[in-house]
Amino acid sequence: MIILLCFSNSAFAQSVSTTFLSDSTQSYIITDKIGIFREENQQEKTIESIQEIDFIVEGKEIITVNNDKNGFWLKIPIQNKTLLKEWYLEIGSGHGDLEFYIPETNNSIKTYRKILLAEKIPFSERLIQTDRFLLPLFLLQNQSMTIFVRGESNYFQAPVRIAPLKYYFERDHKADIAEGVYYGFVIVMFLYNLFVFFTLRERGYLYYVGYLLFFGLAMAQIRGHGFEFLWFSFPLINNYAPLFYVFGGICASLFLIDFLHTQKNSRFFHITLHITIYAFALAGVASILGFKNIASYINQVVGAISTLNSLAAAIYVYYTGYKPAKYIIVAWSGYLLGILVFVLAGVDIIPYNTFTSSGILLGSAVEMILLSVALAARIEFYKKGREELQAKMLKTSEEHREFVETQNKRLEERVVERTEELNVVNEELSVNLERLHEQNVVIEKKNQDITASINYAKRIQDAMLPSLEEIASIFPNFFVFFEPRDIVSGDFYYFKQINQKVIVGAIDCTGHGVPGAFMSLIGNDLLNEIVENKSVTQASHILDKLDEGITKVLRQTDTQVRDGMDAAFCVYDIETQVMEYAGARNPLIYIENEELKIIKADRQSIGGNLIKNQFNKKYFTNHILNTHETTSFYLFTDGFQDQFGGEADKKFTTKRFRNVLVEVSKLPFSQQQEFLKNTLKNWMGYTNRQIDDILVFGFKVGK
């Protein structure tokens, strides 16, 4: 969606300072620098009217919206001071509906491209499918841009960050491991206690299992993983998210009533816990009727009050003599503290940060363990009570001896019965562990089979590439430096002679490994169709036809598939000795008399851009230059110059790569490949791994 705006003085009257991106390896938290405007009385602003509004810099580390029916606007001015062109803006919460307005300028008219990231649309329609809102930005060096964001949410706490893609990979990798362990722990505890319930038939285990189920779903919802992995195609479920907390709170209250025997030990807390159940039920009714804000507010208030009430109930029952309540005190203290911190952060009473947003996970993990221990301790409590009762009865008169013996026998039978049941449970657990081991063996075998399949796929891809003998028969002075990141590659080179014309290409497909290899096979087949069958030999026309072919094969006008490729092609006429060049984001470098010259590529990729294909299609430019016997030509992808390494662990950079090409051009072509290989190896050292496929094609034409 494009919105047109004329430039006006009011657009520059804002007092929000610009954030300068000065280091391409760093992330920037800019929440305390951006402008914020909160709508009032449900009067929604438009992108046109918001230009005349003075934004406020609140200076907080996080944006907080809690049970507010009004929308809010963010103004984010940035300027890129680095060579890095691809940045990613993150609104660190996957809850709510956000509209991003990206500025574009056309003939002195400012336009805004609208991008929607929201809980109300299917998860698959997000630009980048992650549990947070992540927007890719393209900024040239020293380019400025002011982005506007409008949001609506009943529960929204999020920092605003801008960083390179590498930062999010590294950060989310660690978080995913920790959260994956947590979810695995919840599942194991759920299955274990469900099995114990079916074995012992005690209601306490059923209430506890219900609590684990709904609390796990609530955590998955608030962390964004529920929408990502469970109900991704049903965004309507997000409108009823408060129900997870409702059922979780009801099950927790029922568990406490059963475990603490409140009906016997404390009439007061027996009543208050039932009131808590009714209050949660009221929130559930509000959620079902569509009042999500009201339901969330009731859940927060009841959750905060019930934490203190539950802890007080456990302490009171403990001092009445029911000793298993101590486990509830310890377990509930950690868990309730986590809930209290989480709720207070949600209503903006305390700061919202990594600890306050994740403390509930740590507290609940400890609580789950201790509650399971508490259930087991209750059996031990019964056993101890039997022993104490036995000791008292031995002191009674002879006339009660028969009664004592009867009670002892009953208690012993109960203990034996429970012990046998627990032994069965332990036996089942041992069998499950053995099955898990067997499954691990199967998984290892499958990994070996997959690796073998990929190795076989490499043989197929190698057969697709032109042979070095074929290239040497036409260009005796050449080399191909080809280093896939994985076994198979998304980069590939192309070489074909059609009559007196020789076509040379270096192509970089989206991705690497198996996905990239599939793209390379598609690209190679399309090139053979274009060059051999259709006899297209003009460099720019080859790129035009390849662009059409990729768009058609991947159905990019009908789907969300955005894969494509960058490429550089040279066409050399053997008779006229004229060289043609056309490039899609990949330039041509040629060196004459140790002087490096460059022909820039068109700033558009092949395929992968729905807006370009539908509304703004441009044809590729054809460049013609005369050749000399001393001229060295180099086609390449971006893998070499983007590789991290060196003492500062930074990218190799385009400038350093061009200097290396000048040095390597002084050597015979038979030595140039080895020189590049050693240069890359020394740059990476022993600690850095290859981050992308690498391809450099060098050649010299002769008469």
Side-chain angles (χ1 to χ4, degrees):
M1 177 179 182
I2 302 296
I3 299 173
L4 299 178
L5 292 175
C6 294
F7 283 114
S8 64
N9 292 333
S10 64
F12 300 94
Q14 318 291 331
S15 60
V16 182
S17 60
T18 299
T19 297
F20 295 96
L21 310 177
S22 57
D23 189 343
S24 62
T25 64
Q26 298 296 321
S27 67
Y28 297 86
I29 297 180
I30 58 177
T31 323
D32 58 344
K33 303 180 181 64
I34 63 176
I36 301 177
F37 173 77
R38 302 180 187 271
E39 297 174 348
E40 297 179 356
N41 301 323
Q42 298 183 358
Q43 294 182 355
E44 181 177 345
K45 297 291 183 180
T46 64
I47 187 61
E48 295 91 344
S49 62
I50 204 66
Q51 304 294 313
E52 302 176 358
I53 299 297
D54 289 330
F55 282 74
I56 297 175
V57 179
E58 294 184 348
K60 297 181 179 180
E61 293 297 326
I62 192 166
I63 301 169
T64 301
V65 177
N66 192 25
N67 296 312
D68 190 352
K69 297 182 179 180
N70 297 307
F72 61 93
W73 285 83
L74 308 178
K75 181 180 180 182
I76 309 173
I78 56 176
Q79 183 177 6
N80 183 18
K81 291 289 188 178
T82 71
L83 293 174
L84 181 64
K85 302 172 184 177
E86 294 182 359
W87 291 85
Y88 290 81
L89 177 66
E90 180 192 64
I91 307 295
S93 172
H95 302 288
D97 301 324
L98 298 184
E99 298 173 353
F100 293 81
Y101 293 89
I102 311 300
E104 297 175 345
T105 302
N106 186 12
N107 297 328
S108 76
I109 296 178
K110 177 179 284 188
T111 63
Y112 282 90
R113 178 161 55 96
K114 178 181 174 181
I115 299 176
L116 177 63
L117 297 178
E119 281 189 320
K120 64 184 179 183
I121 61 176
F123 191 87
S124 59
E125 295 183 16
R126 294 191 180 183
L127 291 179
I128 299 178
Q129 297 191 9
T130 179
D131 55 331
R132 308 187 186 200
F133 292 137
L134 198 62
L135 180 70
L137 301 175
F138 184 83
L139 288 170
L140 299 176
Q141 187 177 15
N142 295 321
Q143 180 180 353
S144 298
M145 177 184 292
T146 299
I147 302 166
F148 290 89
V149 182
R150 186 183 184 276
E152 291 182 356
S153 178
N154 73 303
Y155 191 84
F156 187 90
Q157 289 86 33
V160 181
R161 184 192 309 269
I162 185 168
L165 189 58
K166 179 176 180 289
Y167 166 80
Y168 298 109
F169 282 158
E170 295 176 347
R171 182 199 66 184
D172 293 343
H173 172 71
K174 299 175 182 178
D176 289 344
I177 291 176
E179 291 173 338
V181 170
Y182 175 81
Y183 292 132
F185 179 76
V186 172
I187 293 172
V188 169
M189 296 299 296
F190 170 84
L191 295 176
Y192 171 77
N193 286 280
L194 182 63
F195 184 83
V196 173
F197 164 73
F198 285 118
T199 302
L200 302 182
R201 300 293 179 178
E202 288 197 7
R203 287 181 301 175
Y205 284 97
L206 180 61
Y207 297 147
Y208 183 55
V209 165
Y211 163 71
L212 287 173
L213 173 63
F214 291 110
F215 186 82
L217 290 174
M219 288 299 97
Q221 186 272 333
I222 202 168
R223 308 296 284 193
H225 299 129
F227 189 28
E228 182 178 0
F229 297 109
L230 299 179
W231 55 88
F232 43 85
S233 297
F234 304 94
L236 183 64
I237 294 178
N238 292 322
N239 294 333
Y240 301 96
L243 289 176
F244 296 141
Y245 303 91
V246 168
F247 292 124
I250 291 175
C251 289
S253 299
L254 290 173
F255 171 80
L256 288 173
I257 291 172
D258 178 79
F259 186 89
L260 297 177
H261 300 295
T262 54
Q263 187 172 12
K264 173 184 177 182
N265 294 326
S266 174
R267 186 66 179 171
F268 173 81
F269 286 112
H270 187 72
I271 294 174
T272 58
L273 287 172
H274 277 86
I275 293 175
T276 300
I277 294 174
Y278 299 142
F280 277 122
L282 178 63
V285 173
S287 178
I288 293 173
L289 295 178
F291 299 103
K292 184 179 179 181
N293 286 356
I294 296 176
S296 296
Y297 183 78
I298 295 175
N299 278 337
Q300 293 179 34
V301 173
V302 175
I305 296 175
S306 65
T307 55
L308 301 176
N309 178 71
S310 301
L311 184 59
I315 294 173
Y316 177 84
V317 172
Y318 174 79
Y319 282 106
T320 62
Y322 186 64
K323 299 307 179 182
K326 64 184 178 182
Y327 295 98
I328 298 294
I329 296 173
V330 177
W332 218 253
S333 295
Y335 164 65
L336 299 183
L337 180 61
I339 288 185
L340 187 60
V341 169
F342 183 80
V343 171
L344 292 178
V347 296
D348 205 22
I349 296 178
I350 63 175
Y352 185 95
N353 51 40
T354 301
F355 172 75
T356 57
S357 64
S358 302
I360 191 171
L361 296 180
L362 298 175
S364 63
V366 174
E367 177 260 355
M368 291 174 190
I369 296 174
L370 292 178
L371 288 185
S372 294
V373 173
L375 288 169
R378 185 164 63 173
I379 296 177
E380 181 64 25
F381 177 78
Y382 289 146
K383 182 179 179 180
K384 185 177 180 180
R386 177 190 62 81
E387 294 173 351
E388 293 176 353
L389 181 61
Q390 181 182 17
K392 290 180 180 179
M393 286 188 146
L394 288 175
K395 296 180 181 179
T396 59
S397 61
E398 190 68 22
E399 58 186 310
H400 295 139
R401 185 172 302 170
E402 184 178 351
F403 173 77
V404 171
E405 292 175 353
T406 302
Q407 292 299 318
N408 285 339
K409 185 177 180 181
R410 291 179 179 177
L411 288 173
E412 288 173 357
E413 289 175 352
R414 184 175 182 181
V415 171
V416 170
E417 181 182 344
R418 294 293 174 86
T419 302
E420 289 178 353
E421 291 172 347
L422 290 176
N423 288 334
V424 172
V425 172
N426 290 331
E427 230 175 277
E428 291 292 332
L429 289 176
S430 298
V431 172
N432 289 336
L433 289 175
E434 186 173 347
R435 289 177 180 174
L436 286 175
H437 175 70
E438 293 173 355
Q439 291 174 357
N440 287 335
V441 173
V442 173
I443 292 172
E444 179 64 26
K445 180 61 169 59
K446 289 185 179 294
N447 286 336
Q448 293 175 359
D449 293 342
I450 292 171
T451 302
S453 298
I454 296 176
N455 284 324
Y456 189 81
K458 175 173 172 34
R459 294 170 57 188
I460 297 175
Q461 188 177 44
D462 290 343
M464 173 197 76
L465 297 173
S467 67
L468 301 182
E469 291 78 7
E470 178 185 357
I471 302 174
S473 65
I474 300 174
F475 294 152
N477 292 316
F478 86 101
F479 74 87
V480 178
F481 179 44
F482 184 44
E483 289 287 339
R485 196 198 83 162
D486 302 311
I487 299 174
V488 290
S489 171
D491 289 5
F492 71 99
Y493 53 94
Y494 187 81
F495 188 88
K496 190 72 65 176
Q497 181 178 3
I498 303 296
N499 297 324
Q500 78 277 10
K501 292 190 176 182
V502 181
I503 296 95
V504 182
I507 302 94
D508 183 358
C509 300
T510 301
H512 38 69
V514 174
F518 273 111
M519 283 295 297
S520 71
L521 291 174
I522 294 172
N524 189 74
D525 287 345
L526 288 174
L527 285 172
N528 288 333
E529 173 70 18
I530 293 167
V531 174
E532 293 183 357
N533 298 342
K534 297 183 179 180
S535 299
V536 177
T537 57
Q538 182 173 315
S540 60
H541 288 175
I542 293 174
L543 290 182
D544 292 332
K545 295 296 182 182
L546 185 58
D547 185 33
E548 293 175 4
I550 289 295
T551 303
K552 182 177 180 181
V553 170
L554 299 182
R555 297 188 298 160
Q556 293 185 333
T557 57
D558 303 324
T559 68
Q560 292 294 319
V561 177
R562 303 202 175 201
D563 296 315
M565 53 187 69
D566 300 338
F569 274 89
C570 287
V571 178
Y572 175 62
D573 192 314
I574 298 176
E575 293 182 358
T576 62
Q577 300 180 22
V578 172
M579 179 77 75
E580 296 180 10
Y581 158 74
R585 301 180 69 89
N586 283 353
L588 167 67
I589 289 180
Y590 62 100
I591 300 174
E592 294 179 351
N593 300 322
E594 300 184 5
E595 180 182 358
L596 183 142
K597 299 180 181 180
I598 183 170
I599 301 180
K600 294 183 178 180
D602 292 311
R603 302 195 63 80
Q604 60 176 340
S605 297
I606 297 169
N609 192 323
L610 300 182
I611 296 178
K612 175 196 73 176
N613 293 333
Q614 296 179 16
F615 308 112
N616 193 23
K617 181 174 178 61
K618 295 181 181 179
Y619 293 101
F620 289 94
T621 306
N622 202 57
H623 303 271
I624 299 177
L625 63 156
N626 294 319
T627 62
H628 301 280
E629 292 184 355
T630 60
T631 304
S632 297
F633 296 90
Y634 297 94
L635 301 176
F636 50 88
T637 59
D638 60 0
F640 200 118
Q641 57 203 29
D642 287 347
Q643 178 59 47
F644 283 89
E647 295 181 357
D649 193 23
K650 295 184 177 181
K651 286 187 177 182
F652 196 82
T653 73
T654 302
K655 179 179 179 181
R656 186 179 283 110
F657 178 63
R658 292 176 181 175
N659 292 336
V660 168
L661 289 182
V662 173
E663 292 299 319
V664 81
S665 67
K666 300 175 185 178
L667 300 174
F669 271 84
S670 60
Q671 301 177 16
Q672 291 188 17
Q673 178 183 358
E674 190 66 24
F675 183 89
L676 289 177
K677 183 176 182 180
N678 291 333
T679 300
L680 181 67
K681 181 178 180 181
N682 293 334
W683 176 256
M684 293 174 59
Y686 296 100
T687 57
N688 287 282
R689 65 180 184 88
Q690 187 174 333
I691 66 170
D692 198 1
D693 301 321
I694 295 173
L695 172 61
V696 182
F697 194 129
F699 64 95
K700 182 184 291 186
V701 300
K703 294 184 179 180

